[in-house]
Amino acid sequence: MPKQVNASIFDFHGRPSLGKALPLSLQHVLAMIAGVITPPIIVAGVIGASVEERLLLIQVAVLASGVSTLFQLYGFWKFGARLPAIFGVGFAYVPTLIAVGSQFGIAGILGAQLIGGISMLVVGYFIQYIRHLFPPVVAGTVVLVIGLSLYDIAIRYMAGSGNVQAPGFGEPINWFVALVTLTTVLIASQFGKGVVKLSAIIVGIVVGYLLSLLLGMVSFESVAEAGWVAVPQFMPFELEFHTSAIIAMVIICVINSVQTIGDLSATTVGGMNRELKTRELTGGLLGNGLTTALSAFFGALPTATFSQNVGIVAMTRVISRFVLALAGGFMLLAGFSPKFSALVTTIPYPVLGGATVIVFGMITMTGIKLLIKDELSARNMTIVGLSLALSLGIAQVPEAIAQLPTWIQSVIGGSPIVVAAITAFSLNLLLPRVTLADEERERELMARTDDSADCSPLQARESSLRSHRQEGSAGNASSS
């Protein structure tokens, strides 16, 4: 008998039909596309890139995202997580890229990125020996802050743009489209059945996009101007190496490795209901380091896990590699066809915001789920609470670190994830490991001490003698 093909979308090795996999895959593409093209757009503006250089940076960013996703899904030798995760050019690096780019241009960014990618490879190699330094209390804190730090992005998108200074930001029409999209996602995810329920994100995006078309919010000008096919070139930009740029990039790349640990942990816990394996973690970090280093030779910015797609996996529990590989294939196609990429980017910001805000909420809940896997002792609550307070506090008041050296500002001022990771990691090493059982014993001892203090000296002495006699009797009974 022929071997039966596994078509389950809830199995990593499942291969569902194309009709079933396509909508599930497209929602991953639509959730990540804005995040992929935004960093190169920002960097292009900082370095004063020409129109041709701007389009090139966007194109290779999309291409690198497709390649890194497929590489992580299928892997090669020890490289690749082989988990249902999406990788691509990420937001986390943007503050450092801006700081480096404003001083040394795109050549300085790419040179520092090459060294940064190598540092990620080193972290990936040694992670098997230091993984115990990243227990659930550390990884869960990072995932929790990832989710919380994304809310402002979703709200800005819902209000009309990633930039609060953009024309029309916050207008009622933007909120109307965003809320219709969000309502559609909620209805599809909570009341829909089958593919509709699992594809709630793309159902919401389709409804929001059609509404945007009717309201005249969609422009196809960029599609008309884009070419059909473009092949990336090797080293379109020179690579320059500057010490300060390298230090800043190495730090953010190492910190991003902690975020990768958090995202991959959230993927396995939220989507596969199990802990992350050391082999998967090692492969993911090594793969991300390799793609980041090689991307520098093609003008693509550094890669990272995409937290919004982690949220989709956690929400839908769809972990089929085939589904996510289709998403990687679409990104690959868009990387070779600027016109295809331009078409995807016509989706208005309010539609993306309305569709992804619930996904960011799922990331937060996955972080909480990770945290409660470890006991909520006073020690662990201190680690989580202080990490949240410092990371989100500094993010809300960036002026508080304005007098610090520029390189420190570029490292910790741009993303609360960096502060949370450093704080949680450091406190986990420094604070004494006290369990709930230890705390309970300490409370009992203190209560006993207080009771003794309330007694007269004679009563305390008699109580002590009784205690010794009871312990002696118990010891004799044990010996017999």
Side-chain angles (χ1 to χ4, degrees), residues 78 123-132 278 281-282:
K78 294 184 178 181
V123 172
Y125 177 79
F126 286 104
I127 195 65
Q128 57 187 316
Y129 306 109
I130 60 174
R131 190 186 174 185
H132 63 281
T278 300
L281 175 57
T282 301

Side-chain angles (χ1 to χ4, degrees), residues 156 161-166 169:
R156 286 202 299 267
S161 175
N163 182 8
V164 296
Q165 304 298 329
F169 184 84

Side-chain angles (χ1 to χ4, degrees), residues 357-434:
V357 65
I358 190 172
V359 172
F360 297 161
M362 290 300 300
I363 296 171
T364 302
M365 296 311 298
T366 300
I368 294 175
K369 190 175 180 180
L370 266 173
L371 286 174
I372 62 178
K373 280 186 170 292
D374 208 342
E375 57 184 19
L376 295 179
S377 62
R379 172 189 184 272
N380 288 351
M381 287 192 291
T382 299
I383 292 174
V384 178
L386 188 54
S387 299
L388 289 175
L390 289 176
S391 60
L392 299 179
I394 292 175
Q396 291 175 11
V397 192
E399 296 82 5
I401 60 172
Q403 302 302 317
L404 297 179
T406 304
W407 70 270
I408 294 181
Q409 294 183 49
S410 67
V411 172
I412 69 173
S415 172
I417 300 167
V418 175
V419 179
I422 293 174
T423 305
F425 179 79
S426 301
L427 290 177
N428 182 61
L429 289 179
L430 297 174
L431 297 184
R433 299 186 180 278
V434 180

Side-chain angles (χ1 to χ4, degrees), residues 309-367:
N309 296 86
V310 173
I312 292 176
V313 171
M315 185 174 73
T316 64
R317 297 296 182 96
V318 175
I319 59 173
S320 167
R321 177 166 58 182
F322 179 70
V323 171
L324 277 81
L326 279 179
F330 276 117
M331 298 302 290
L332 203 62
L333 175 63
F336 284 110
S337 176
K339 192 172 288 291
F340 181 86
S341 182
L343 180 63
V344 176
T345 59
T346 61
I347 302 173
Y349 279 108
V351 176
L352 292 173
T356 56
V357 65
I358 190 172
V359 172
F360 297 161
M362 290 300 300
I363 296 171
T364 302
M365 296 311 298
T366 300

Side-chain angles (χ1 to χ4, degrees), residues 108-129:
I109 288 176
L110 297 177
Q113 177 182 324
L114 175 60
I115 307 302
I118 294 173
S119 70
M120 294 168 75
L121 286 169
V122 174
V123 172
Y125 177 79
F126 286 104
I127 195 65
Q128 57 187 316
Y129 306 109

